[in-house]
Amino acid sequence: MSAAAAARQILTHLHEVMASRLHAQGKLDRVVEIVGEALDSEVCSIYLLREGMLELFATRGLKQEAVHVTRMALGEGLTGTIAQNVETLNLAEAKAHPDFQYRPETGEEKFHSFAGVPIVYRERAVGALNVQHLDPRRYEDVEIEALQTTAMVLSELIANTGLIDEEEALGLTEASTEPAKMEGLPLVKGLASGVAVYHQPRVTIDHVVAEDVEVERQRVYRAFDRMRDQIDTMAQQAEFGAGGEHEEVLQTYKMFAYDEGWSRRINEAIDSGLTAEAAIERVQQRTRMRMREIDDPLLADRMHDLEDLSNRLLRIVSGQIGTAASKGLPRETILIAKNLGPAELLEYDRRKLKGVILEEGSLTAHVVIVARAMAVPVLGRVRGLRGMVREGDEVLLDADAGTATARPAQTMLQAFEARFAQTKKRLASYAELRDVEPFTRDGTRIQVMMNAGLRDDISSLNLVGADGIGLFRTEFQFLVSATLPQRERQTRLYRDVMDAAGSKPVVFRTVDIGGDKAVPYLASEYAEQDENPAMGWRALRLAMERKGLLKAQARALLEAAGGRPLNVMFPMVAEPWEFDAAKAVFDEQLDYMRDRKKMLPETIRYGVMLEVPALAEVLDLMIPRISFMSIGTNDLTQFLFAADRANPKLAERYDWLSPAILRFLRRLVRGTQGQPIDLGVCGEMGGRRLEALALLGVGIRRLSITPSSVGPIKELVRQVDLAEIEAAMDEWLVRPPGCLREAIAEWAQAKGIDTQ
Ligand code: PEP
Ligand code: MG
């Protein structure tokens, strides 16, 4: 029998068993027989959760004495791993898996291959369905899908027969009145407190096996139509109409909503005898499985968009439409979700939504970009989230520290309130500095600019009182897009940024794609040959090769700046000729525009990033060509120390406050002194107080930093006497102390300078 035929056979038989008058245990016993036989597997077993343990409820092939005797903890053995991680395993050799555990009472030592799927009830694993085979072999995809379908049928059985304790299944036992501390990844920093609200009351799938395939097919068609209408309407709404990232997001949604492959797979699942709901869920399970295998965060983010749409489709088809947003938030809320779509987040009342905690999520996910724009703290990647928080629980979210606490004790609440108040006070004091100009004690004006990259960042400019945008990372628009952003869209963004900045300068850096900033639609250009992406085919190197890309960007910038000043900066320039070649692309576009009598920028200033050390050796050749230079300490440090900036093992190994870096920077400052060129620093280093103090000490007078650091750095600047720190730095760099960081910190403390 082919694997596909086996899968169909299982479904037909399951239908009969579920409709039969057998009691629950009898049904389980029949299911293991049906599945084992159809998949030609010696063993098929069902484990269900009872009193916190996974208990063997039914088996074909293992010793019958083990039934209701063999019990595994969550996370123990292969079965425990499946249930704990809610993941599917498909192993040719079970014993080779690190989590394999042998239970003598079952007599399973003779079996080699193993496949298992979680049985999921209300989004929590309440058991596992496994098959084992004498010979080593991997089960085919259709067979795994048949197992997953069976697991869905079993969860329907569980829901109807009380085979497991519902409270327990939801993880809400007595113990859950205790505080629960969760850890995760800070995606948008900040503090918040409120009551837990689940974004989505889970769609419950009541029926898995279809009565009438044609009826189910029509239901899915209608649901698709409705979903597409919804997405189209959303795209037309004013909020998204103005261009920018939201629009990019919706383009991705549209692409998926109209994706033929997706609807075809759902149709195929219906053909195999599933209801519309089960078919949608089935296809989504398969996508999730694939997602686990993809090691590309950007692609994974796009997959979350598909998951979002799939949930929407499921809600439409089942009639269980409302999310918590549609019911309205009762009061200050911390939203709990597995993942969220950006559009879904925007449906919430911004006055009440105080924070978000996600089981998934990543820094580049669309929803995170939107949350950042809404100034809503987000904690992501919280494992086991939904088992720890109950709807209505009090929750403290500390996305600065990467933690959240549900049902906090009184003392925790008080401590949190105190921190909250302190943070608010600190933020307010920075806000007061908004209009204060950062003069040092000896009267030197330091330029404190900010880094940006998204349309939503621009509002920070006036909020924090920065002197301008010292680094606009244009590649962000490329990163949040599903496809290469068209020139018109680029022009619109650049024009909006300049409009918002008014008379303040904006330095646009041409795209720095590649390295850690991978975009899927250009991946083939650099992914294959780059063993060492940070030093590979990225930034200007890629843009010059892909002339069309740089040309389009040059035109977009030149047009957007019609009638006003434009500042263009090229990334990763290592030798002057690279600058010349890039500038030539701009000159060509200028000629073209001049010929067509288009409005040109009032002035154009060109500059480069200094992040490749080689450029420091040819300053005399570079300087006459440019108006400004910005030191990118993020890349410069990784190249100076030969230490990957994204490698966590190296993150703490080399210090920005080391003689090597500071001497290098001071030499750069001295090499440009007296020359008609603006020099600044735009890496993360400048946003930290102690580091900024050291930068002032080596002669840096212009910083471009993350917006939230502008206030703290202005405050620092006002406490510094430049002559003093320069003199101290000169001594340190001639005879470096054992730990330069400590020496600078002690010095600052003695001077009463707050560097925290
Ligand atoms: C840098 O390298 O320091 C920099 C500012 O650019 P990016 O972080 O975007 O590479
Ligand atoms: Mg860089």
Side-chain angles (χ1 to χ4, degrees), residues 37-345:
E37 200 169 302
L39 298 190
D40 191 21
S41 296
E42 285 80 4
V43 177
C44 177
S45 315
I46 294 171
Y47 290 80
L48 294 179
L49 197 65
R50 176 149 36 188
E51 290 161 5
M53 301 287 279
L54 290 161
E55 183 173 310
L56 181 64
F57 263 64
T59 184
R60 148 197 161 112
L62 297 184
K63 292 183 186 157
Q64 288 305 317
E65 305 91 271
V67 172
H68 296 301
V69 172
T70 293
R71 306 178 86 213
M72 312 259 197
L74 282 171
E76 187 188 350
L78 296 178
T79 302
T81 302
I82 291 169
Q84 187 172 51
N85 301 345
V86 200
E87 71 176 336
T88 295
L89 288 181
N90 183 3
L91 310 169
E93 188 51 77
K95 293 190 192 90
H97 193 281
D99 294 330
F100 177 79
Q101 245 188 37
Y102 169 56
R103 287 301 183 89
E105 75 271 16
T106 60
E108 61 186 334
E109 63 276 16
K110 43 187 190 295
F111 304 105
H112 287 273
S113 55
F114 175 100
V117 298
I119 300 170
V120 180
Y121 178 63
R122 304 248 170 119
E123 290 203 303
R124 288 177 52 85
V126 293
L129 169 70
N130 304 335
V131 286
Q132 288 167 274
H133 201 271
L134 272 178
D135 305 321
R137 69 143 168 143
R138 261 176 80 86
Y139 287 86
E140 286 183 38
D141 278 359
V142 270
E143 294 176 303
I144 297 291
E145 284 170 20
L147 282 179
Q148 287 170 339
T149 305
T150 311
M152 285 168 81
V153 174
L154 288 173
S155 81
E156 185 183 331
L157 177 71
I158 287 164
N160 297 337
T161 56
L163 263 174
I164 55 165
D165 179 34
E166 176 132 353
E167 282 269 293
E168 184 184 2
L170 297 177
L172 305 176
T173 49
E174 285 300 303
S176 60
T177 52
E178 296 282 308
K181 186 159 178 192
M182 297 157 266
E183 292 190 0
L185 188 70
L187 296 177
V188 179
K189 292 203 167 189
L191 301 181
S193 67
V195 57
V197 170
Y198 270 73
H199 166 61
Q200 214 165 73
R202 176 77 189 143
V203 173
T204 41
I205 300 180
D206 295 330
H207 299 293
V208 175
V209 185
E211 300 282 333
D212 181 337
V213 168
E214 260 331 291
V215 170
E216 300 303 320
R217 200 188 313 284
Q218 291 310 320
R219 291 179 64 218
V220 158
Y221 282 156
R222 278 198 302 276
F224 257 103
D225 281 348
R226 249 188 91 184
M227 181 189 67
R228 287 170 181 162
D229 280 351
Q230 283 180 359
I231 301 294
D232 292 345
T233 314
M234 233 188 263
Q236 285 156 10
Q237 275 168 6
E239 183 134 35
F240 303 109
E245 290 76 38
H246 305 326
E247 197 180 327
E248 311 280 355
V249 171
L250 274 151
Q251 290 304 336
T252 314
Y253 270 48
K254 258 182 131 153
M255 194 179 80
F256 282 132
Y258 287 92
D259 178 29
E260 289 300 324
W262 184 32
S263 49
R264 194 191 61 241
R265 281 190 290 279
I266 292 176
N267 246 315
E268 283 166 4
I270 289 181
D271 280 341
S272 77
L274 294 179
T275 58
E277 288 87 344
I280 297 166
E281 179 62 20
R282 264 282 20 218
V283 170
Q284 200 47 30
Q285 275 180 359
R286 180 189 166 132
T287 312
R288 272 182 223 130
M289 241 168 79
R290 294 264 149 90
M291 239 169 79
R292 286 215 169 95
E293 288 157 16
I294 300 174
D295 196 18
D296 177 345
L298 270 160
L299 209 56
D301 286 342
R302 298 302 90 88
M303 285 299 156
H304 290 316
D305 294 346
L306 178 59
E307 174 106 30
D308 185 21
L309 271 191
S310 181
N311 288 339
R312 190 176 280 266
L313 192 63
L314 201 53
R315 290 201 298 271
I316 294 172
V317 90
S318 64
Q320 301 169 43
I321 289 183
T323 66
S326 61
K327 297 194 194 83
L329 298 176
R331 55 190 180 103
E332 299 199 330
T333 292
I334 303 290
L335 194 64
I336 309 291
K338 182 166 184 225
N339 212 330
L340 271 180
E344 289 182 318
L345 183 66

Side-chain angles (χ1 to χ4, degrees), residues 404-424:
T405 310
R407 306 173 295 277
Q410 198 55 33
T411 49
M412 293 176 192
L413 265 174
Q414 282 158 358
F416 191 83
E417 286 301 327
R419 265 197 66 200
F420 212 177
Q422 225 175 18
T423 313
K424 277 192 186 146

Side-chain angles (χ1 to χ4, degrees), residues 509 512 517 538 571-572 609 611 632 634-636 645:
R509 178 176 74 180
D512 183 0
K517 297 176 213 162
R538 62 175 276 206
M572 293 281 290
M609 297 271 300
E611 41 192 351
N634 303 340
D635 275 312
L636 180 64
R645 70 194 250 190

Side-chain angles (χ1 to χ4, degrees), residues 507-526:
V507 177
F508 289 95
R509 178 176 74 180
T510 59
V511 282
D512 183 0
I513 293 172
D516 62 332
K517 297 176 213 162
V519 294
Y521 47 88
L522 287 180
S524 59
E525 314 261 335
Y526 48 75

